[in-house]
Amino acid sequence: MAARGSAGAGPAAIQLSRIMRPDDANIAGNVHGGTILKMIEEAGAIISTRHCNSQAGEHCVSALARVERTDFLSPMCIGEVAHVSAEITYTSKHSVEVQVNVLSENILTGAKRVTNRATLWYVPLSLKNVDKVLEVPPIQYAWKELEEEGKKRYEEQKLERLVTKQRNGDIIFPVINPDRQTKEPYTVGYSQSSLIHLVGPSDCTLHGFVHGGVTMKLMDEVAGIVAARHCKTNIVTASVDAINFHEKIKKGCIITISGRMTFTSNKSMEIEVFVDADPFVDEPKERYRAVSAFFTYVSLSKEGKPLPVPQLVVESEDEKRRFEDGKGRYLQTKAKRQAQMQPLTQQ
């Protein structure tokens, strides 16, 4: 993977580039959304850690705290080159906002297209004391309005994180070897899935805590399994709602990544994914909720065309409530997208 800096106002932007290999993709040749999310997080971690160590003082490593909603605008395929560029757009006293863009390049024709845009928030943690959050060097803004807009985004994400924590006690019981023969197709229980992963050194930062990109990749894998079991077709990640990293996951933990379908529209599926950690090495304590997010998937034909999604069959009152909540998120996102398109059609 290549990395290079580019001159600009404030901290230098960086770009990571890598060709997509067969092990990055599904059986249809579409690159996993988790692979892209992991590259996005790597770029964000590099530029935010570099910036937070740009002044004299205690050394630190940036830890991922939140990823805003991320849309997958176009599927990436095996053999294409992913160009991931990142730049810092706002700093508060203890956090860094990083904007990331992903381009896909066909190296045979030179054609490029935008596949992803993402916003990530990082906090600098001391190398000497992982529980100590250090101060962030401020950046210089080209215009005062940019700083004001960044502060508004910062306050909004702080509020949303608090709301997410309030509903974070929900439980998904792990489903490792379910008896699917007893479940009706298209029900929540039929497609619900879990993965168990032992956190090793290669998953971790210098602090010995899991990289955010590793966690997101595992979450996308589980969400993809749920979507594939529901549709039994080729499926791809369409978007990821805000991912909140509630607590750090330490090396040696066993993590359980669980996913369940919450809502279906005519052509999309919403899957809720939780990550729970069991820290049984060195300092045993009760399982805790580390990360949560909603993934949206679409079903594709062999020709890559969108297919209708089988409608989710909800049975319990909780499933009905989650379905209505998912429908609300779907309609809200749809309305925002239409509002953004309106000025373009009026030009």
Side-chain angles (χ1 to χ4, degrees):
M1 186 180 288
R4 61 183 176 85
S6 61
I14 67 164
Q15 179 172 295
L16 309 181
S17 298
R18 181 163 76 76
I19 193 165
M20 296 293 99
R21 304 182 301 264
D23 58 346
D24 294 317
N26 62 20
I27 56 175
N30 301 124
V31 174
H32 293 295
T35 300
I36 304 301
L37 289 171
K38 190 168 184 288
M39 290 186 68
I40 287 172
E41 198 277 328
E42 286 172 355
I46 291 170
I47 194 170
S48 57
T49 298
R50 180 182 289 167
H51 175 69
C52 291
N53 287 281
S54 61
Q55 293 184 356
E58 200 171 335
H59 287 304
C60 63
V61 170
S62 290
L64 183 62
R66 176 179 167 91
V67 181
E68 302 291 358
R69 177 185 171 86
T70 304
D71 291 309
F72 289 74
L73 308 174
S74 175
M76 198 176 295
C77 300
I78 295 170
E80 294 183 326
V81 174
H83 299 287
V84 184
S85 58
E87 65 176 330
I88 293 173
T89 48
Y90 179 75
T91 55
S92 69
K93 185 176 182 181
H94 294 294
S95 64
V96 181
E97 181 193 52
V98 180
Q99 299 275 358
V100 181
N101 289 314
V102 183
L103 285 175
S104 175
E105 178 190 6
N106 183 323
I107 54 177
L108 301 180
T109 65
K112 294 182 180 180
R113 66 186 188 283
V114 177
T115 61
N116 299 81
R117 293 188 179 94
T119 302
L120 303 90
W121 293 90
Y122 289 84
V123 293
L125 303 180
S126 167
L127 282 177
K128 296 179 180 178
N129 178 6
V130 71
D131 294 318
K132 181 181 179 182
V133 178
L134 301 181
E135 290 192 13
V136 176
I139 63 170
Q140 299 298 315
Y141 300 94
W143 300 281
K144 182 67 176 175
E145 290 79 8
L146 293 177
E147 183 176 9
E148 291 170 355
E149 290 169 3
K151 186 175 182 179
K152 182 180 177 183
R153 293 192 301 272
Y154 169 72
E155 295 296 339
E156 286 174 349
Q157 65 90 23
K158 270 184 67 176
L159 182 61
E160 286 182 16
R161 281 178 61 80
L162 288 174
V163 171
T164 305
K165 279 188 175 181
Q166 289 173 359
R167 62 169 292 278
N168 206 36
D170 204 357
I171 296 172
I172 300 181
F173 292 102
V175 181
I176 309 305
N177 293 306
D179 182 8
R180 298 192 193 280
Q181 308 302 323
T182 65
K183 306 289 185 182
E184 290 293 324
Y186 311 129
T187 60
V188 175
Y190 183 83
S191 59
Q192 182 174 322
S193 304
S194 299
L195 287 177
I196 292 180
H197 180 75
L198 175 63
V199 176
S202 62
D203 298 321
C204 297
T205 66
L206 295 173
H207 276 123
F209 291 94
V210 178
H211 284 288
V214 170
T215 307
M216 291 193 291
K217 190 172 188 296
L218 290 168
M219 294 173 77
D220 182 70
E221 285 180 16
V222 169
I225 291 169
V226 173
R229 280 180 169 153
H230 184 78
C231 287
K232 296 182 171 60
T233 61
N234 177 34
I235 46 87
V236 294
T237 314
S239 65
V240 185
D241 264 12
I243 302 177
N244 291 292
F245 292 78
H246 309 292
E247 290 196 44
K248 298 184 289 293
I249 303 171
K250 196 173 183 180
K251 179 175 64 180
C253 282
I254 289 179
I255 55 175
T256 304
I257 309 98
S258 303
R260 65 184 170 201
M261 194 160 296
T262 50
F263 170 74
T264 52
S265 67
N266 290 332
K267 291 187 178 178
S268 67
M269 302 159 273
E270 181 190 74
I271 295 130
E272 185 174 27
V273 182
F274 290 147
V275 180
D276 294 319
D278 286 304
F280 69 99
V281 175
D282 296 333
E283 43 180 305
K285 64 176 183 178
E286 291 185 0
R287 169 183 291 207
Y288 61 89
R289 177 64 41 78
V291 193
S292 59
F294 291 98
F295 286 71
T296 299
Y297 273 75
V298 292
S299 175
L300 299 179
S301 68
K302 292 179 180 178
E303 294 74 33
K305 303 295 183 182
L307 291 174
V309 170
Q311 292 305 288
L312 182 65
V313 177
V314 292
E315 299 171 305
S316 69
E317 289 303 315
D318 280 344
E319 289 173 5
K320 291 174 184 176
R321 173 183 55 80
R322 288 194 292 267
F323 187 92
E324 290 304 315
D325 290 346
K327 184 178 181 180
R329 286 186 291 271
Y330 168 77
L331 293 175
Q332 188 177 38
T333 300
K334 189 175 180 181
K336 283 182 180 178
R337 189 177 294 122
Q338 289 174 342
Q340 290 169 351
M341 292 297 292
Q342 255 185 340
L344 297 175
T345 58
Q346 292 171 357
Q347 287 179 358

